[in-house]
Amino acid sequence: MSFDGLFTHAMVTELHENLVNGRITKIHQPYQNELILTIRANGKNLPVLLSADPTYPRVQVTQIPYVNPVVPTNFAMMMRKYLQGAIIADVQQMANDRVVHFTITTRNELGDAEQLTLIIEIMARHSNVILIDKKTSRILDVIKHVGADQNRYRLLLPGATYIEPPKQEKLNPFTPNDDYLDLVKQFPNEDVLAKALQQHYQGLGRDSAQQLAYELHQPGDLATHYDAFLANFTHPTPTLITLSNHKTMFAASNYAAFGDQSRQFDSLSTLLDFYYQDAAQRERVQQQAGNLIRVVRNDLKKNRKKMKKLQQTLANTKQADELRLKGEILTTYLHEVKRGMTEITLTDYYHDNQPLKIELSNQLSPSRNAQKYFSRYQKQKNAVAYVGEQIDLTQGEIDYLDNIQTQIELAAPADIAEIREELMQQGYLKQKKTKKKQRASRKTSQPQQFFATDGTEISVGKNNRQNDQLTLKTARKSDYWLHTQKIPGSHVIIHSDDPSEQTLTEAANLAAYFSKARESATVPVDYVQVRKIRKPNGAKPGLVIYEGQKTLYVSPDAALVEQLTPQK
């Protein structure tokens, strides 16, 4: 389901119940378009996410961990100035639209009570988070500045007067009405009725309209069906629905029009955390690692192009032995070669005395012609050694960059800073000067921990620094190390000297899941004791070599990974 006006209604109901009279204790802006308010309410600390992300805009309570920047943004500092310690007085939705108002009671610098309104507009790429003075409607700050050159109707800048989004001439479905009765009569086809309902009522996404049309086509009283449908958003049953194409959708209740495979959650916020976790994390990583992705992709392209040229050069040098052979045969039959000849056919005593045609330069003497073939032979022989060395170096660069690209794809936002630092150290990015205080406050990330079914601890490195630390320093020599065979991925350590077959299989599944082959059906995973792992001198971060390994073949299973993840 889309985060339409109906789902917003359900979410506002949930937020109103949990947040009203709560106090804002912390304010963070971990990502460019997202604000998180930690609200102390009913004896709990609730992190409320206000996301103006163009792809995944939403408002919810979230338990997904986030990473704060070392230096707070200007917007975060302004929010702290106005909202730190303030009270949530009310949470309201505007006319079943995707606009939510948090009414906030606080005190100004003089100690006088005042009311502010924190607004989140959930409108795809036009989504925004705006703080206004409720009395004057003056904008105090906004997470995305929108000037007159971008929108002539609405100026969204500090100091401007807040103007509401343009209203659509549609009816609020929660307003008592019987318009749906006429629509059902006019449009007996279910799909056509769904489009008509979406055009007539405010806040119906395509899937909500489809479900309402489905319910209005069921036997029984239409008014009862209509009221029951709306009741699902006042008293929601958070549901994840699996569609026939195996994709999933979230809904405030079980939408029978879309299938009967469903899973229920305790709250809408928990449902959204589960639904958005991977996709939203990928979006956040894309935002934070945009320049890293570009640098790695460009370097990969450059090295792959270089590899093709080197391989072509190597193919051309394979005629070196033929040049030597012609030089030797010319030297043997030098007395038959006359100055001014452009070619000669001689007996090839290396190949059963077969005739061999040899091209000559009519400007050179017979002996100089022979020396020319030897010179070309020596040059190409030297080139073979050089090209072979360059191919090895270039392949090493490709393997390293391919591994980094995979790590970025699998990374959590917390891992990006270390990957960026590694690329700086390796010379792929320019070094940035950072203050000592910032460097000291930067926390070193740790490998992700899992527990096998029998309780054995399993560690998974998420970047090269973690991989090296985990394999070469943290793990005991008797522990078992796993890695996808010839596929970029994470180092996995089983902290046991005698793991069971089930534990080996579960760890192999983790290795396959946290690798470039995550979407593959069958993935080969090597495993060996740590004592048989070593790092060559001068090797790039994350690179190790090993011997005596055995191989398991597994299918990456996200459900198993979730099962092995320790509960918080």
Side-chain angles (χ1 to χ4, degrees):
M1 170 176 190
S2 55
F3 207 116
D4 61 6
L6 288 176
F7 194 88
T8 304
H9 179 98
M11 180 57 74
V12 166
T13 301
E14 179 174 296
L15 294 177
H16 189 279
E17 180 181 341
N18 292 322
L19 302 182
V20 169
N21 295 323
R23 182 180 298 275
I24 301 174
T25 59
K26 294 179 183 178
I27 302 171
H28 298 292
Q29 188 186 356
Y31 310 108
Q32 181 181 357
N33 298 315
E34 297 181 352
L35 184 71
I36 293 183
L37 308 177
T38 301
I39 298 174
R40 182 71 177 176
N42 302 317
K44 299 178 181 178
N45 291 323
L46 302 174
V48 179
L49 168 66
L50 286 75
S51 175
D53 183 275
T55 310
Y56 306 110
R58 62 199 187 280
V59 56
Q60 63 167 110
V61 175
T62 182
Q63 299 301 330
I64 296 177
Y66 55 89
V67 180
N68 288 317
V70 176
V71 179
T73 63
N74 290 336
F75 181 73
M77 294 300 290
M78 287 294 287
M79 295 301 101
R80 291 175 185 179
K81 173 184 175 182
Y82 288 107
L83 301 180
Q84 193 81 39
I87 302 296
I88 303 294
D90 198 8
V91 184
Q92 291 182 325
Q93 177 190 21
M94 300 295 105
N96 206 50
D97 202 354
R98 294 166 297 167
V99 179
V100 180
H101 284 202
F102 289 80
T103 301
I104 295 170
T105 303
T106 185
R107 292 188 178 276
N108 60 22
E109 295 172 347
L110 300 176
D112 298 329
E114 63 177 359
Q115 279 198 331
L116 307 176
T117 304
L118 183 62
I119 303 169
I120 175 158
E121 299 175 352
I122 306 168
M123 299 176 178
R125 63 189 181 91
H126 299 296
S127 300
N128 221 325
V129 178
I130 309 158
L131 181 66
I132 67 170
D133 184 316
K134 187 171 184 179
K135 184 177 180 180
T136 63
S137 293
R138 183 174 65 89
I139 297 175
L140 302 175
D141 208 349
V142 56
I143 201 166
K144 293 181 190 175
H145 289 194
V146 179
D149 57 331
Q150 296 171 277
N151 190 328
R152 294 182 180 179
Y153 175 74
R154 300 178 75 208
L155 190 66
L156 297 178
L157 293 173
T161 300
Y162 175 73
I163 299 174
E164 294 181 354
K167 295 189 184 314
Q168 296 177 309
E169 297 301 322
K170 295 183 180 182
L171 180 65
N172 185 340
F174 290 95
T175 302
N177 74 98
D178 55 8
D179 294 15
Y180 56 89
L181 298 174
D182 292 333
L183 292 173
V184 171
K185 291 178 182 178
Q186 292 179 43
F187 307 105
N189 179 278
E190 188 175 312
D191 292 334
V192 178
L193 174 60
K195 292 180 181 178
L197 290 167
Q198 191 175 4
Q199 293 169 359
H200 188 78
Y201 288 106
Q202 174 68 35
L204 269 70
R206 184 169 55 184
D207 39 14
S208 298
Q210 191 70 47
Q211 177 63 22
L212 178 55
Y214 170 82
E215 295 194 14
L216 291 175
H217 271 78
Q218 300 305 304
D221 181 59
L222 290 179
T224 302
H225 291 326
Y226 183 81
D227 292 341
F229 174 77
L230 293 183
N232 289 327
F233 301 94
T234 304
H235 305 286
T237 305
T239 305
L240 184 76
I241 301 168
T242 302
L243 307 176
S244 57
N245 59 3
H246 303 296
K247 292 184 178 181
T248 57
M249 62 177 282
F250 61 87
S253 66
N254 192 7
Y255 276 15
F258 293 90
D260 55 3
Q261 293 186 19
S262 62
R263 173 181 172 183
Q264 294 186 350
F265 288 77
D266 295 335
S267 68
L268 295 171
S269 292
T270 307
L271 167 64
L272 291 184
D273 267 356
F274 182 86
Y275 181 84
Y276 279 121
Q277 183 160 12
D278 286 341
Q281 290 288 73
R282 295 276 66 74
E283 180 76 9
R284 290 166 175 174
V285 167
Q286 289 286 329
Q287 290 177 6
Q288 290 195 337
N291 65 322
L292 304 190
I293 294 169
R294 185 171 60 254
V295 166
V296 171
R297 188 180 293 137
N298 289 343
D299 277 328
L300 260 176
K301 184 178 179 181
K302 180 179 69 177
N303 278 283
R304 283 172 176 155
K305 188 176 180 181
K306 180 181 177 181
M307 177 63 81
K308 285 184 179 179
K309 290 183 177 179
L310 288 170
Q311 288 172 339
Q312 184 60 49
T313 303
L314 185 62
N316 294 338
T317 60
K318 287 182 178 178
Q319 60 179 335
D321 285 338
E322 184 182 345
L323 294 171
R324 178 186 56 79
L325 182 146
K326 289 181 177 180
E328 290 183 357
I329 291 176
L330 269 179
T331 303
T332 302
Y333 296 103
L334 203 58
H335 61 282
E336 295 185 21
V337 184
K338 307 300 181 185
R339 190 182 188 96
M341 296 175 70
T342 57
E343 64 178 42
I344 188 172
T345 301
L346 298 171
T347 301
D348 183 359
Y349 47 78
Y350 284 106
H351 299 92
D352 298 328
N353 293 323
Q354 295 293 317
L356 176 65
K357 184 184 287 188
I358 302 174
E359 294 182 357
L360 301 171
S361 171
N362 58 6
Q363 303 296 318
L364 300 177
S365 66
S367 61
R368 290 291 300 277
N369 267 299
Q371 285 300 316
K372 182 180 178 182
Y373 275 100
F374 284 124
S375 296
R376 289 173 62 193
Y377 159 70
Q378 193 60 47
K379 185 177 181 181
Q380 291 203 7
K381 182 181 176 183
N382 294 339
V384 168
Y386 172 78
V387 170
E389 181 183 348
Q390 287 299 307
I391 285 177
D392 290 342
L393 291 172
T394 305
Q395 188 59 54
E397 287 288 304
I398 291 172
D399 291 344
Y400 174 73
L401 291 167
D402 200 16
N403 190 40
I404 288 289
Q405 189 175 55
T406 300
Q407 289 177 7
I408 293 174
E409 290 170 358
L410 300 176
D415 302 320
I416 295 302
E418 288 186 354
I419 295 175
R420 178 180 283 108
E421 190 172 335
E422 179 185 329
L423 288 174
M424 287 180 183
Q425 292 171 352
Q426 296 297 315
Y428 295 96
L429 289 174
K430 290 183 179 179
Q431 290 277 1
K432 288 185 178 180
K433 292 183 179 180
T434 54
K435 297 179 181 179
K436 289 183 179 180
K437 185 177 180 181
Q438 292 180 15
R439 287 197 296 268
S441 62
R442 185 182 296 160
K443 293 182 179 179
T444 303
S445 65
Q446 298 298 320
Q448 192 167 349
Q449 302 303 120
F450 297 87
F451 288 94
T453 303
D454 63 6
T456 303
E457 184 180 1
I458 303 172
S459 299
V460 178
K462 301 297 287 296
N463 57 53
N464 284 330
R465 192 205 65 79
Q466 290 182 13
N467 288 335
D468 280 347
Q469 181 74 21
L470 178 61
T471 301
L472 304 174
K473 296 184 179 180
T474 304
R476 298 174 300 176
K477 297 296 182 184
S478 59
D479 289 345
Y480 274 80
W481 177 90
L482 299 92
H483 194 281
T484 44
Q485 186 182 91
K486 298 179 181 178
I487 299 171
S490 297
H491 291 204
V492 176
I493 295 291
I494 301 175
H495 296 282
S496 170
D497 57 3
D498 187 23
S500 66
E501 289 295 325
Q502 183 180 5
T503 298
L504 279 169
T505 302
E506 290 172 345
N509 204 292
L510 290 170
Y513 185 80
F514 292 104
S515 78
K516 192 174 184 178
R518 174 180 286 191
E519 303 299 328
S520 301
T522 304
V523 182
V525 177
D526 290 338
Y527 69 96
V528 69
Q529 280 192 301
V530 173
R531 61 169 50 93
K532 295 183 179 180
I533 305 288
R534 64 186 181 89
K535 190 175 186 70
N537 291 334
K540 286 187 176 291
L543 175 66
V544 296
I545 56 177
Y546 54 93
E547 57 186 6
Q549 73 276 10
K550 295 181 181 179
T551 305
L552 289 171
Y553 292 85
V554 296
S555 299
D557 185 352
L560 177 59
V561 173
E562 183 184 356
Q563 177 185 324
L564 301 179
T565 304
Q567 299 299 316
K568 296 181 180 179

